[in-house]
Amino acid sequence: MVSQLSYPKIQLEARNVQLRYASSQTIACQVGALQVKKGECLVLCGPSGSGKSSFLHLINGLVPEYYQGEIEGSLRIGPLSYQESSVEESAYQVASVFQNPATQFFHQEVLQELVFPCENQGMPREAISNRLAEVVEQCQLTSLLHEDMEKLSGGQKQVVAISTAAMQGTDIMVFDEPTANLDARGVERVQELLRVLKKQGKTLIIAEHRLAYLKEIADSYAYFREGTLIEATSASGFLAYSEEKRQELGLRTSDTAPFQAQVKEMARAFTNDPTGLILRQFRVHHQAKYLYQVNELVLAAGQVVGLIGANGSGKTSFARSLVGLEGDKTGVVSWQGESLPARKRLARIAYVMQDVRQQLITERVEKELRLGLGIDQLDEDVLRAFRLSHLLDRHPMSLSMGEQQRLIIAASLFSNKEIFIFDEPSSGLDREQMEQLAAQLELLKSKGKLVLLISHDDELLARICDKVVDVEKLAMGKEAEG
Ligand SMILES: Nc1ncnc2c1ncn2[C@@H]1O[C@H](COP(=O)(O)OP(=O)(O)OP(=O)(O)O)[C@@H](O)[C@H]1O
Ligand SMILES: [Mg+2]
């Protein structure tokens, strides 16, 4: 028998819920009391590893169906209570959108991707096409419908992921850091979609570190720390917090506009250095495809250089070409007067990818940290700074997103290389971790290393960069798509 909620307007109610993952001794998430009303938007915030994603996993049924764990207490979602629902049932109640949309795609064409969940649930054809027409109009998808998923930019992919979730027609939608990899335009697009969904009466539950874009959408905020829901606050109460209080809570700023202006100005004022890392007639590829040429870029050692540009402008391809992972044998690359052909570059350049999970290759955190290590001792300061000391025995795949990111960043710092490339290193980091990262980058700088920082995080860029390069201005001889 399915229990009905006593108060129909409440769509989610947690009472003394606790989750402990099977592989762990500690409670990953506990929520004393929380209610979300129909049509409301609740934002889950708090430091990395504080239990935000774990709470979402309870809501969308990923625990215990996908991640094993022990659950206590009562969680009512729509008309179902926790004990009574399975992942299939949750799929009818809750649609999910994750940080990295690529992990949730199954098809090549946007249209097929959109209708897949409905087909999977055995919905009649006519109902599917009606819902499709509705979602395409609301989410303004007409121009994307027949595109190849692989050709979409990160922002467009996230738009498709959100629209696909909307196609499921559930009342509740959960989002886990949906903007983590997006540029300003991508964030705006997600913001627009969230507005549309809210207007439609959907209940939205969003875990985020970037809070600024949610200011006008959120009705309430739930603040987590060390696995526990500390307080749930109305939007007006939360937005009235002083900057000091935000800092104390470890929350990122809610106003990024001043940083954005500063970064733009730095990119406008960019000029080449006299020597250091020199790229001439350097051709950037994405897989076998030629994208653009950098006629000349010269960056001196001992500084942090930001690399900016919209989603799809070729920042990651630039990084991959520079470390020699994408084929180019013709251009000139040299470092401190020494020529660096493609095959020599990975040995000299530390590279932290945007999706760090691709770089997790061992079964233990400590082993992962020692991979590139010439010396025996792990630097305790770095472990402490990135809150990794207590995680050394864990399997890297069981870490929270922010923990995985910190792990790979720390591993790169242990390598004795001269040039460092970080691709969106702050996407899953909380405020304290962003500050720790900034401090570590300062340290690299003081050791005479060159740091290239690919980022959309204007706060981090403004704070740490000596120079900013706009990839879109650098890209000469860009060929037309196709
Ligand atoms: N599958 C898992 N198995 C074991 N422990 C896990 C698993 N997933 C998360 N944890 C642990 O549970 C705690 C809460 O993690 P969770 O992913 O919920 O944090 P989060 O607030 O979402 O962090 P982030 O901001 O970094 O994404 C962390 O200590 C984490 O290491
Ligand atoms: Mg998370």
Side-chain angles (χ1 to χ4, degrees):
M1 197 22 234
V2 166
S3 54
Q4 290 295 319
L5 284 172
S6 46
Y7 185 46
K9 274 194 174 162
I10 289 174
Q11 208 149 48
L12 183 135
E13 183 175 50
R15 256 189 258 146
N16 298 322
V17 177
Q18 278 197 354
L19 162 66
R20 191 176 57 75
Y21 290 104
S23 60
S24 163
Q25 302 298 325
T26 45
I27 306 282
C29 171
Q30 58 182 334
V31 174
L34 185 71
Q35 285 187 337
V36 187
K37 292 201 192 99
K38 183 164 168 35
E40 264 188 4
C41 172
L42 169 72
V43 174
L44 312 182
C45 59
S48 168
S50 61
K52 304 180 296 295
S53 297
S54 299
F55 189 51
L56 294 184
H57 293 163
L58 284 171
I59 298 170
N60 64 15
L62 279 181
V63 180
E65 303 281 330
Y66 185 77
Y67 301 105
Q68 293 194 341
E70 223 173 73
I71 299 140
E72 281 174 26
S74 108
L75 181 65
R76 292 170 174 221
I77 297 155
L80 294 176
S81 87
Y82 202 90
Q83 291 80 357
E84 291 149 348
S85 62
S86 68
V87 123
E88 293 77 40
E89 285 172 306
S90 297
Y92 292 105
Q93 300 280 330
V94 181
S96 309
V97 176
F98 302 99
Q99 175 183 49
N100 183 351
T103 57
Q104 63 191 98
F105 292 142
F106 298 96
H107 291 93
Q108 190 128 28
E109 191 197 30
V110 170
L111 176 62
Q112 285 176 340
E113 191 58 48
L114 285 169
V115 297
F116 174 67
C118 300
E119 286 177 348
N120 207 28
Q121 286 175 16
M123 225 169 117
R125 289 242 138 251
E126 204 187 322
I128 298 181
S129 48
N130 289 343
R131 191 173 286 167
L132 180 69
E134 219 174 89
V135 170
V136 166
E137 197 204 316
Q138 281 161 351
C139 304
Q140 298 169 24
L141 289 174
T142 317
S143 63
L144 288 184
L145 268 188
H146 300 290
E147 284 292 330
D148 185 341
M149 291 297 300
E150 277 170 37
K151 290 208 180 126
L152 303 184
S153 71
Q156 288 171 323
K157 281 186 184 146
Q158 199 56 291
V159 165
V160 174
I162 295 173
S163 310
T164 306
M167 281 293 290
Q168 292 171 41
T170 61
D171 285 337
I172 305 176
M173 297 180 75
V174 303
F175 302 77
D176 200 350
E177 297 186 41
T179 66
N181 291 321
L182 305 186
D183 63 6
R185 210 157 33 187
V187 175
E188 261 170 39
R189 199 63 179 96
V190 168
Q191 188 186 36
E192 265 167 43
L193 286 187
L194 291 174
R195 267 203 204 107
V196 168
L197 294 169
K198 189 171 167 186
K199 222 183 210 164
Q200 253 184 298
K202 304 266 188 202
T203 305
L204 309 175
I205 302 176
I206 309 169
E208 262 294 5
H209 289 290
R210 277 171 126 170
L211 297 174
Y213 79 97
L214 292 167
K215 228 172 16 186
E216 277 131 42
I217 300 170
D219 297 293
S220 55
Y221 292 81
Y223 175 72
F224 285 76
R225 181 157 226 157
E226 292 172 10
T228 306
L229 169 69
I230 305 286
E231 62 176 320
T233 323
S234 70
S236 55
F238 186 85
L239 294 174
Y241 285 171
S242 64
E243 194 51 31
E244 290 74 41
K245 167 108 177 171
R246 285 181 167 276
Q247 206 156 352
E248 193 186 301
L249 295 178
L251 299 172
R252 300 288 302 267
T253 179
S254 58
D255 184 12
T256 49
F259 300 116
Q260 205 174 345
Q262 197 179 334
V263 169
K264 257 197 191 141
E265 175 51 29
M266 287 172 87
R268 202 197 52 75
F270 175 81
T271 54
N272 275 325
D273 293 321
T275 185
L277 174 71
I278 301 179
L279 310 183
R280 290 210 175 93
Q281 279 79 51
F282 174 72
R283 291 161 69 86
V284 174
H285 287 73
H286 175 67
Q287 288 159 6
K289 188 175 160 214
Y290 167 71
L291 295 181
Y292 59 89
Q293 173 163 312
V294 175
N295 281 340
E296 183 174 61
L297 178 68
V298 186
L299 301 170
Q303 58 179 347
V304 179
V305 180
L307 226 56
I308 63 166
N311 280 131
S313 61
K315 301 182 295 298
T316 297
S317 302
F318 175 85
R320 291 179 59 83
S321 299
L322 184 53
V323 290
L325 290 173
E326 306 283 358
D328 180 63
K329 312 283 180 266
T330 54
V332 173
V333 178
S334 73
W335 168 243
Q336 309 288 45
E338 178 193 347
S339 157
L340 278 190
R343 72 192 143 76
K344 276 196 183 170
R345 291 184 212 146
L346 254 187
R348 308 290 285 279
I349 307 175
Y351 177 36
V352 175
M353 291 183 185
Q354 180 162 9
D355 179 7
V356 295
R357 279 169 311 175
Q358 292 178 36
Q359 295 185 278
L360 299 170
I361 50 180
T362 74
E363 70 296 341
R364 259 185 90 228
V365 166
E366 184 173 1
K367 212 164 163 187
E368 201 69 50
L369 287 166
R370 289 185 180 281
L371 273 182
L373 195 66
I375 47 169
D376 292 328
Q377 283 298 322
L378 294 177
D379 183 339
E380 288 292 330
D381 287 344
V382 172
L383 294 183
R384 249 195 314 276
F386 286 111
R387 292 206 303 265
L388 292 168
S389 313
H390 65 294
L391 300 173
L392 294 180
D393 284 330
R394 286 271 295 277
H395 194 299
M397 291 311 276
S398 81
L399 301 180
S400 82
M401 283 196 282
E403 287 164 348
Q404 289 177 338
Q405 204 158 19
R406 273 135 56 195
L407 166 61
I408 294 296
I409 293 171
S412 81
L413 297 174
F414 290 150
S415 77
N416 202 17
K417 299 191 179 169
E418 294 139 78
I419 301 170
F420 288 76
I421 306 177
F422 297 98
D423 198 346
E424 300 288 352
S426 64
S427 57
L429 303 186
D430 59 43
R431 183 185 191 125
E432 184 201 327
Q433 292 304 321
M434 186 198 70
E435 279 164 13
Q436 293 290 359
L437 173 68
Q440 292 298 328
L441 298 188
E442 288 281 358
L443 206 61
L444 289 176
K445 200 170 121 171
S446 70
K447 291 181 185 163
K449 317 274 186 185
L450 171 63
V451 179
L452 298 180
L453 177 59
I454 299 175
S455 184
H456 293 119
D457 185 336
D458 290 315
E459 190 182 3
L460 178 69
L461 288 165
R463 154 129 198 225
I464 183 84
C465 289
D466 300 285
K467 289 190 156 206
V468 173
V469 179
D470 183 343
V471 168
E472 284 168 273
K473 283 192 204 141
L474 203 63
M476 304 297 291
K478 200 166 180 169
E479 282 186 354
E481 277 290 310

